[in-house]
Amino acid sequence: MKTEISQAEARRITTRWPLISGIGAVVLAVTLGLLIGTRSTPFSLDQLVLDDFLSIRADVFTVPALAMNFLGGGWFGVFVVPLGGALAFFLLKRRWAALYFLLASAVSAGVVQLLKSLFSRARPDEILVTADFGSFPSGHVANAATLTVVLILLLQRRWIIIVGVIYTILMILSRTYLGAHWLSDTIGGVLVGIGVAVILWAPFARKLEAERPQ
């Protein structure tokens, strides 16, 4: 009986559970969307959170929320951030990291648009920004979660975890404050962002590890 396992087998073991977890996160997002689709009204918590944000709307909160709206979507969030991040890793001679960064961003956005088309959930009436069709899931939040997980996996720095989590939470708060999404939309966005980033990391894991600076 073998008492040792090969390096390749060890890698399959280490990537298997993250892959399962990533798929599970996306499945949960779809399940949440299906549950939302069975309802004619928002969840009680969705309405409660929106009402609370409506009661505190003021310029001191609206201005930073609009800044987050710019950072996480539109031409900046959809094109500049993914292309800029990929270029940065390419210039650092981490070409697999550049490909992974770009691919994760693109696939995450694609999954979001697919689910938006599938569920066609109406956005809140009190929206303060111009937005595309479909409220579920939140593309801004999915983008933030994808970016956070990708950078955590590529850079493996504790401060990235802290900054990324804070950024994602602020994006969740800003989207609900602006009335662009219900709270459950942002939860779906987090699940999609994390799930896609982890699923795509699994097949790249060996090459990403090989080119990571020691």
Side-chain angles (χ1 to χ4, degrees), residues 149-167:
V149 174
V150 166
L151 291 179
I152 288 173
L153 293 172
L154 293 179
L155 301 179
Q156 298 186 15
R157 295 290 185 269
R158 183 174 300 177
W159 68 269
I160 293 291
I161 299 175
I162 297 172
V163 173
V165 169
I166 292 174
Y167 176 69

Side-chain angles (χ1 to χ4, degrees), residues 93-94 97 152-157 205-214:
K93 298 183 177 179
R94 297 184 62 180
I152 288 173
L153 293 172
L154 293 179
L155 301 179
Q156 298 186 15
R157 295 290 185 269
R206 182 181 299 181
K207 295 184 182 298
L208 292 173
E209 182 63 24
E211 70 176 8
R212 190 169 66 88
Q214 301 301 319

Side-chain angles (χ1 to χ4, degrees), residues 14 28 34 49 58 60 68 71 132 163 166 180 186 193 196 202 205 209:
T14 58
L28 282 175
L34 291 172
V49 171
V60 67
M68 295 295 291
L71 290 175
D132 61 7
V163 173
I166 292 174
T186 65
V196 168
E209 182 63 24

Side-chain angles (χ1 to χ4, degrees), residues 9-128:
E9 187 177 353
R11 285 195 182 279
R12 283 197 295 271
I13 293 173
T14 58
T15 60
R16 182 182 304 150
W17 287 110
L19 180 59
I20 293 173
S21 299
I23 294 173
V26 174
V27 170
L28 282 175
V30 174
T31 302
L32 178 58
L34 291 172
L35 182 60
I36 289 171
T38 65
R39 300 176 59 88
S40 59
T41 59
F43 294 116
S44 298
L45 182 59
D46 278 341
Q47 191 64 58
L48 178 62
V49 171
L50 178 62
D51 290 343
D52 286 343
F53 277 124
L54 290 176
S55 68
I56 62 168
R57 276 184 176 175
D59 288 345
V60 67
F61 299 123
T62 302
V63 171
L66 291 174
M68 295 295 291
N69 179 68
F70 172 77
L71 290 175
W75 62 268
F76 187 83
V78 174
F79 296 106
V80 174
V81 173
L83 292 175
L87 178 60
F89 281 109
F90 184 83
L91 294 176
L92 291 172
K93 298 183 177 179
R94 297 184 62 180
R95 296 180 179 180
W96 286 106
L99 178 60
Y100 168 57
F101 190 102
L102 192 60
L103 190 60
S105 299
V107 173
S108 177
V111 171
V112 165
Q113 292 305 314
L114 176 63
L115 296 182
K116 282 177 179 287
S117 298
L118 180 63
F119 297 116
S120 301
R121 188 185 196 187
R123 294 180 185 269
D125 294 331
E126 301 83 355
I127 187 171
L128 292 180

